[in-house]
Amino acid sequence: EDKVVQSPLSLVVHEGDTVTLNCSYEVTNFRSLLWYKQEKKAPTFLFMLTSSGIEKKSGRLSSILDKKELSSILNITATQTGDSAIYLCAVGYITSYGKLTFGQGTILTVHP
Amino acid sequence: NAGVTQTPKFQVLKTGQSMTLQCAQDMNHEYMSWYRQDPGMGLRLIHYSVGAGITDQGEVPNGYNVSRSTTEDFPLRLLSAAPSQTSVYFCASREGPVYEQYFGPGTRLTVT
């Protein structure tokens, strides 16, 4: 059975801290790993990582895919209260094209 | 573009009732999916479709039916609602397997 596991499940930090969120996967036919941010409503897309793009960066957020360790990290530097959200990772497949398997999410709370 | 739209936003059903959650997208995306989100469990895939006339089951398909007669629409039918189906339901679409996935605003369903 395919598994996507995120850690920690929740994290509380203060503004300015740097956080690292983890996502590990055990799936067959891995194609891609995606990161999403979910505030009050629907998830919004952050990054997609594949064999041809194992590192992505946007502002204070960056992500790396480690295909050997079957995992990915999402780093957020100089956190702000607006970073408070649920962060979700998901895995896409080479076969079963339409399918994504999500992890359970990490709840990040940033205090002023 | 309206993106991905879902109706209704909220719904309360009695056990045993049936209903259809509507989902539409105007981006001409081939891939559409339905997820449910419960606290601490991330997003779980119910059914997905890779094109009109083509659907497949996800992780938690029992109690739900789908059909895809057009590219734009992907309704989710609850055949006989149960309290265990109380959840937030998200519809999503994407252009293909290596593209980001866009989510609708969600439907909060309560079954009493």
Side-chain angles (χ1 to χ4, degrees):
Chain A
E1 185 183 327
D2 295 335
K3 280 187 194 175
V4 180
V5 177
Q6 293 185 243
S7 64
L9 293 181
S10 65
L11 190 55
V12 179
V13 300
H14 288 93
E15 273 193 318
D17 289 348
T18 293
V19 299
T20 299
L21 310 182
N22 298 281
C23 176
S24 63
Y25 58 92
E26 290 178 36
V27 304
T28 52
N29 298 309
F30 171 88
R31 176 195 288 273
S32 57
L33 190 141
L34 299 88
W35 284 98
Y36 285 84
K37 178 182 182 182
Q38 185 178 24
E39 296 175 86
K40 299 259 186 247
K41 297 190 177 177
T44 53
F45 174 77
L46 293 174
F47 300 118
M48 178 187 288
L49 302 157
T50 65
S51 300
S52 57
I54 61 170
E55 190 166 351
K56 294 283 174 78
K57 184 174 170 59
S58 176
R60 296 178 294 103
L61 277 66
S62 62
S63 184
I64 296 173
L65 176 67
D66 187 336
K67 287 200 73 179
K68 193 173 175 185
E69 296 296 325
L70 306 183
S71 65
S72 175
I73 59 170
L74 176 69
N75 277 328
I76 308 175
T77 59
T79 51
Q80 302 170 356
T81 55
D83 295 326
S84 295
I86 301 173
Y87 290 84
L88 297 158
C89 73
V91 167
Y93 299 82
I94 295 173
T95 55
S96 300
Y97 298 144
K99 185 177 159 186
L100 289 178
T101 299
F102 279 80
Q104 70 273 59
T106 293
I107 302 172
L108 174 65
T109 304
V110 182
H111 287 310
Chain B
N1 279 357
V4 182
T5 57
Q6 291 182 238
T7 56
K9 287 193 170 64
F10 301 94
Q11 182 71 49
V12 179
L13 290 178
K14 291 188 179 355
T15 297
Q17 287 185 315
S18 62
M19 80 158 295
T20 299
L21 306 186
Q22 301 292 345
C23 174
Q25 52 91 9
D26 61 359
M27 298 175 281
N28 202 33
H29 286 171
E30 290 295 326
Y31 291 18
M32 296 186 75
S33 301
W34 276 103
Y35 297 89
R36 59 178 288 173
Q37 186 172 35
D38 303 294
M41 301 194 74
L43 290 162
R44 291 185 292 168
L45 183 64
I46 304 172
H47 287 284
Y48 63 99
S49 169
V50 296
I54 306 168
T55 63
D56 206 347
Q57 295 182 353
E59 303 164 62
V60 289
N62 292 342
Y64 307 95
N65 270 1
V66 292
S67 59
R68 184 99 178 269
S69 55
T70 67
T71 299
E72 295 77 20
D73 300 300
F74 191 42
L76 178 72
R77 296 182 190 83
L78 279 71
L79 308 171
S80 176
S84 61
Q85 293 179 305
T86 293
S87 189
V88 179
Y89 291 84
F90 288 102
C91 179
S93 77
R94 55 186 170 138
E95 191 173 340
V98 294
Y99 293 90
E100 66 181 272
Q101 181 163 257
Y102 296 88
F103 284 85
T107 295
R108 186 174 292 275
L109 176 69
T110 302
V111 183
T112 61

